[in-house]
Amino acid sequence: MIRNTIHTFRSKCRALVCSLLTLAVFPQFVSGQAKSAMTDKPFDVTRWIETHFAKGKIPPFSFVYDGKPSRELLKKWKYTAARVESDEPEAVEYLYTYLDRSTGLQVECRVKGFTDFDAVEWVLNFKNDSQANSASISQVKVVDLDFEYPQKGDFILHYADGSHVSKHDFHQRTKVLAPGDSLYMAPQGGRSSQVAFPFFNIESPAGQGVMVAVGWTGTWFADIAGKTDRSVTLASGMKYLDTYLYPQESIRTPSICLLFWKGDDRMVGHNRFRRFVMAHHTPKVDGKPAHFPESSSFNYGDPSPCNEYTCLTADYAIALIRRYKQFDIVPEVFWLDAGWYSQAADYKNHKNWANTVGNWTVDREKFPDGLKPVSDEAHKVGAKFMVWFEPERVIKGSQWAEEHPEWMLDAGTDAYLFDLGNPKALEWFCDQIGELIEQNGIDYYRQDFNMEPDIFWQKNDEPGRTGIREIRHIEGLYAFWDYLRQRFPGLLVDNCASGGRRIDLEATSRSAPMWRTDYNYGEPVGYQCHTYGLEMYLPQHGTGVQKTDKFTFRSSLGTSVVYNWKITNGSSSFYEIQDCMKEFREVRPYFYEDYYPLTGSGDITGDNIWMAYQLYRPSDKSGFVVAFRREACPDKTHTVKLSGLDPDAVYSITNKDTGETVSKSGRELAEGFVLTLDQPRSSLLLKYQAE
């Protein structure tokens, strides 16, 4: 089965999706550059695709082959176009190929459009269909496109930080793109959301714009430039790629997703995109988008030198599960993190969870019968069982390193990178992890990745083949995640990577970051900031919480959460824990629909401000306002303007702490609603409902 999966990834373009609002985007072309002109006519997905990729036209991608730009080459190459059957409902799919008959190089582009979201996406595949090495392929831009609008003015680029262990993780940024201005973005270290973030929004002066998402769990780039006072240019692809292909060899590129929107508020586009991700880029369970869970850890924080879960034993884990049941605080998932494997508990020899990865056998001293008894106990109380792995990083001297040195990529550090680009190694890798999951009764799989892989790829690329190691590794990663989902249809993948450093559209299609940042565990102000920024793009993510006071707990609200309660001491009562869990379950469904930041897009990291956001569920015309007055904030009140509401409807607004209710029209709430908190370091949770 895994061989078929690998073949699929190397022979087909996997399409990623992005949504388009009702908006006309009818293409025009000028010499040397693909171009989309925005009008007010209704959008037609089929027409957009067929026109942009029409025969004789410059397609919205580019590359250089043998030193020559594709805009000169493609008009001489053999062109074919075919409508193909889509495996998703309400989707149209096309396969476009461009063949250089003189050298055998073929460029394949599979384009997918979704009629339910007016959405379009594409990805490229290069194949050398000859018996000799190809010429060099470089400067591949999966999207290379001008967008022209009917109104003059400045373009505003809305983008975000990636994860870099800071309050500023996922912080919103803006840049005005006047003619000649530009911004170049790329992640650091080979992980897709480290420092940079592959989701952004280009706002035009015409009340229209385009959201962009890159699908590549490695090193991508995006270059956005103001071209004229009516147009902006977008180029994106893989940062390091300059290679030839062996005979019959093929490679895939990053995928690109564009979401065109129209309206006075750019949040129309953000919310459309969030809904699109839920519908078409979220793993499915029983045919429906998966909801990632609330989970509890096993009494995190044992005495030093124990770290993570290196000192946890089977009997203690089982006793804790029973204690959660006793206090009626059973979560949806019990989460066993790092340290359950061989040698991790050998603190006398300076071993710990981090320097023993690669020993992927259960520590039989701590777990004599494996992890299955712990899993069974979790299932007995009605919960799932999730376990942490970090299989790509292999410490030198570990079991995997000693058994299979031929599958290890070395860059002169204390660890190897497992070579997921080797088909035989990948098949073995899949079997090993799959068997551990099956034998130990594991329901959900957590994959961490605490290393920067780019130096391993670069040091192991062959001369003249820059980028091949990265491509093969990322292809293998996707094949592995898909293998797990095929073998275990109900399994969910939690994607960590040192806390939120592998977030992109391809990864989101297979996983979610349930621990979105390794920033100071439990510090509430930073957690508020992370929610505020990341919700602009993705509904599925989570963080931890360790205390039950409302200011701290509400800072961790979302679609997923990790409870790090310490239930073996008196730091909080189980009544407080019960109340927190009840509140989380009430608010969580609202994160799946519309989101609005209420306190601006500037620096929201300070301790002297209010921070607030709005959740709105158009499906039943209800929502929540979540607000925080921080510790050094001198102001007892703050005025916010709610969005998305019916101006003529009347809404009842209830303070969830006091029970007080007032009624306001949607128009009044949009013009300004005063939030009040008498004490600093306090929070508000207001529920509103159309009467």
Side-chain angles (χ1 to χ4, degrees):
M1 176 163 51
I2 184 59
R3 289 192 179 94
N4 292 336
T5 304
I6 297 167
H7 175 74
T8 299
F9 271 85
R10 292 191 177 173
S11 63
K12 292 179 62 180
C13 296
R14 180 178 179 88
L16 271 188
V17 183
C18 165
S19 59
L20 300 162
L21 282 179
T22 301
L23 160 72
V25 187
F26 293 116
Q28 300 173 0
F29 296 93
V30 295
S31 178
Q33 181 68 48
K35 179 179 179 182
S36 275
M38 311 304 171
T39 75
D40 292 324
K41 296 178 182 178
F43 181 78
D44 185 321
V45 168
T46 301
R47 182 176 177 182
W48 192 95
I49 294 172
E50 292 180 352
T51 307
H52 277 73
F53 292 90
K55 184 177 181 179
K57 300 294 186 179
I58 300 172
F61 62 82
S62 68
F63 58 93
V64 171
Y65 180 55
D66 198 17
K68 302 179 182 65
S70 59
R71 66 177 178 270
E72 297 176 4
L73 297 173
L74 293 184
K75 57 188 176 184
K76 303 174 184 176
W77 290 12
K78 181 182 178 182
Y79 166 90
T80 60
R83 179 93 172 252
V84 297
E85 184 178 350
S86 176
D87 57 358
E88 298 190 54
E90 299 181 306
V92 294
E93 195 165 343
Y94 296 81
L95 180 63
Y96 297 97
T97 59
Y98 307 80
L99 175 64
D100 180 7
R101 282 172 282 201
S102 63
T103 68
L105 183 71
Q106 178 176 279
V107 181
E108 178 184 274
C109 184
R110 189 176 294 270
V111 187
K112 189 178 287 188
F114 287 82
T115 57
D116 56 344
F117 278 89
D118 291 342
V120 64
E121 62 173 32
W122 64 88
V123 64
L124 304 179
N125 226 18
F126 290 83
K127 182 179 180 180
N128 177 14
D129 196 14
S130 76
Q131 300 305 310
N133 292 343
S134 76
S136 174
I137 302 163
S138 64
Q139 300 182 44
V140 178
K141 299 174 182 177
V142 182
V143 60
D144 189 3
L145 191 61
D146 281 357
F147 302 99
E148 185 173 281
Y149 294 84
Q151 185 172 324
K152 294 182 180 180
D154 288 337
F155 289 83
I156 302 174
L157 175 64
H158 303 274
Y159 63 108
D161 286 6
S163 177
H164 46 85
V165 196
S166 163
K167 284 184 182 180
H168 287 90
D169 286 3
F170 315 114
H171 194 283
Q172 293 301 294
R173 309 286 182 181
T174 60
K175 181 176 177 62
V176 175
L177 293 172
D181 288 340
S182 64
L183 180 70
Y184 182 87
M185 294 186 288
Q188 295 179 6
R191 295 181 290 185
S192 54
S193 55
Q194 180 169 316
V195 180
F197 196 59
F199 302 87
F200 50 94
N201 188 358
I202 306 169
E203 182 180 5
S204 83
Q208 303 177 28
V210 56
M211 293 193 68
V212 182
V214 181
W216 188 246
T217 318
T219 305
W220 51 273
F221 78 89
D223 196 357
I224 310 98
K227 189 171 184 181
T228 70
D229 56 5
R230 293 180 186 269
S231 64
V232 66
T233 296
L234 169 66
S236 181
M238 183 177 155
K239 184 176 180 180
Y240 304 111
L241 180 57
D242 187 351
T243 187
Y244 63 86
L245 300 181
Y246 292 130
Q248 303 303 310
E249 184 181 22
S250 65
I251 56 172
R252 63 152 291 174
T253 68
S255 51
I256 197 69
C257 167
L258 306 177
L259 184 149
F260 295 89
W261 56 269
K262 182 180 180 180
D264 295 331
D265 183 356
R266 69 184 176 100
M267 288 306 299
V268 172
H270 285 278
N271 281 317
R272 183 72 168 176
F273 181 75
R274 284 164 44 87
R275 289 171 177 270
F276 187 82
V277 168
M278 284 302 304
H280 295 292
H281 281 290
T282 296
K284 302 291 192 298
V285 175
D286 296 328
K288 298 179 181 179
H291 285 191
F292 283 74
E294 57 168 4
S295 57
S296 286
S297 62
F298 287 93
N299 226 42
Y300 178 83
D302 285 332
S304 178
C306 301
N307 63 3
E308 300 298 317
Y309 294 88
T310 57
C311 295
L312 185 73
T313 60
D315 55 354
Y316 188 40
I318 290 169
L320 285 169
I321 292 173
R322 292 172 180 171
R323 205 144 181 86
Y324 276 88
K325 177 67 173 177
Q326 176 187 354
F327 296 148
D328 196 21
I329 53 173
V330 174
E332 294 169 342
V333 170
F334 282 101
W335 173 335
L336 176 57
D337 213 86
W340 52 268
Y341 34 89
S342 299
Q343 297 185 18
D346 187 10
Y347 57 85
K348 294 179 181 178
N349 289 305
H350 309 291
K351 301 293 186 181
N352 57 51
W353 73 270
N355 61 24
T356 51
V357 291
N359 293 329
W360 296 116
T361 55
V362 179
D363 186 334
R364 293 291 172 167
E365 290 189 15
K366 297 188 300 177
F367 302 95
D369 300 308
L371 302 179
K372 189 67 162 54
V374 182
S375 172
D376 289 343
E377 194 66 31
H379 296 157
K380 193 181 299 183
V381 301
K384 301 285 189 181
F385 183 50
M386 181 165 69
V387 175
W388 178 99
F389 291 80
E390 193 188 355
E392 293 164 275
R393 184 171 68 98
V394 182
I395 291 294
K396 293 178 178 178
S398 67
Q399 178 186 353
W400 278 19
E402 294 297 308
E403 289 181 356
H404 292 287
E406 72 277 17
W407 295 340
M408 304 297 147
L409 299 181
D410 196 359
T413 70
D414 65 349
Y416 297 116
L417 177 68
F418 191 95
D419 187 6
L420 289 180
N422 181 314
K424 185 177 180 180
L426 175 60
E427 184 171 5
W428 182 89
F429 182 98
C430 291
D431 289 342
Q432 293 295 305
I433 302 300
E435 288 303 302
L436 279 166
I437 290 172
E438 184 169 311
Q439 292 169 7
N440 290 281
I442 298 169
D443 302 293
Y444 297 159
Y445 168 83
R446 185 187 196 205
Q447 183 158 329
D448 209 342
F449 191 46
N450 296 299
M451 66 190 306
E452 297 184 342
D454 58 348
I455 60 171
F456 292 86
W457 297 330
Q458 292 163 13
K459 285 183 177 294
N460 289 277
D461 271 332
E462 300 172 63
R465 284 170 58 82
T466 299
I468 288 293
R469 287 288 186 180
E470 177 176 346
I471 291 171
R472 296 301 181 222
H473 192 95
I474 301 304
E475 288 175 333
L477 176 66
Y478 297 158
F480 169 58
W481 281 347
D482 290 345
Y483 162 84
L484 290 182
R485 297 281 294 123
Q486 291 167 7
R487 180 169 174 176
F488 308 101
L491 179 141
L492 298 180
V493 176
D494 166 37
N495 165 25
C496 181
S498 301
R501 301 194 188 195
R502 262 180 161 178
I503 304 173
D504 60 86
L505 204 55
E506 287 270 10
T508 298
S509 302
R510 299 167 170 87
S511 64
M514 290 172 60
W515 192 269
R516 65 196 180 193
T517 172
D518 273 351
Y519 169 75
N520 189 6
Y521 288 12
E523 193 282 297
V525 170
Y527 281 17
Q528 295 165 20
C529 298
H530 305 152
T531 298
Y532 196 82
L534 194 49
E535 285 294 335
M536 298 286 285
Y537 302 94
L538 301 174
Q540 296 266 51
H541 53 88
T543 192
V545 67
Q546 294 169 297
K547 297 180 180 179
T548 56
D549 68 278
K550 294 183 184 300
F551 185 83
T552 300
F553 180 75
R554 289 172 178 169
S555 301
S556 296
L557 289 172
T559 53
S560 181
V561 69
V562 184
Y563 298 133
N564 283 317
W565 316 122
K566 196 76 172 176
I567 65 167
T568 54
N569 62 36
S571 58
S572 59
S573 76
F574 62 78
Y575 289 122
E576 293 172 349
I577 293 174
Q578 290 172 350
D579 289 343
C580 287
M581 296 177 73
K582 181 180 178 182
E583 182 172 284
F584 179 86
R585 291 172 182 179
E586 181 182 6
V587 178
R588 173 170 58 172
Y590 289 84
F591 282 93
Y592 288 108
E593 295 197 30
D594 289 351
Y595 167 81
Y596 298 95
L598 297 178
T599 43
S601 59
D603 187 353
I604 47 99
T605 61
D607 288 332
N608 60 344
I609 64 170
W610 279 74
M611 199 214 75
Y613 60 86
Q614 174 193 352
L615 307 170
Y616 180 49
R617 195 161 65 180
S619 59
D620 65 1
K621 298 181 180 179
S622 67
F624 280 93
V625 173
V626 184
F628 303 91
R629 178 187 172 189
R630 292 180 179 163
E631 190 164 16
C633 179
D635 304 319
K636 292 185 177 182
T637 62
H638 186 79
T639 301
V640 296
K641 297 180 179 181
L642 272 60
S643 296
L645 307 182
D646 180 349
D648 298 321
V650 176
Y651 294 85
S652 297
I653 304 113
T654 301
N655 186 313
K656 297 295 290 184
D657 295 321
T658 66
E660 296 176 288
T661 299
V662 298
S663 294
K664 297 281 185 180
S665 70
R667 184 172 289 103
E668 290 176 298
L669 293 172
E671 291 173 350
F673 181 67
V674 178
L675 307 177
T676 302
L677 283 169
D678 291 332
Q679 299 298 321
R681 202 183 186 280
S682 56
S683 66
L684 271 176
L685 184 64
L686 305 177
K687 184 174 184 180
Y688 60 92
Q689 174 73 63
E691 295 179 355

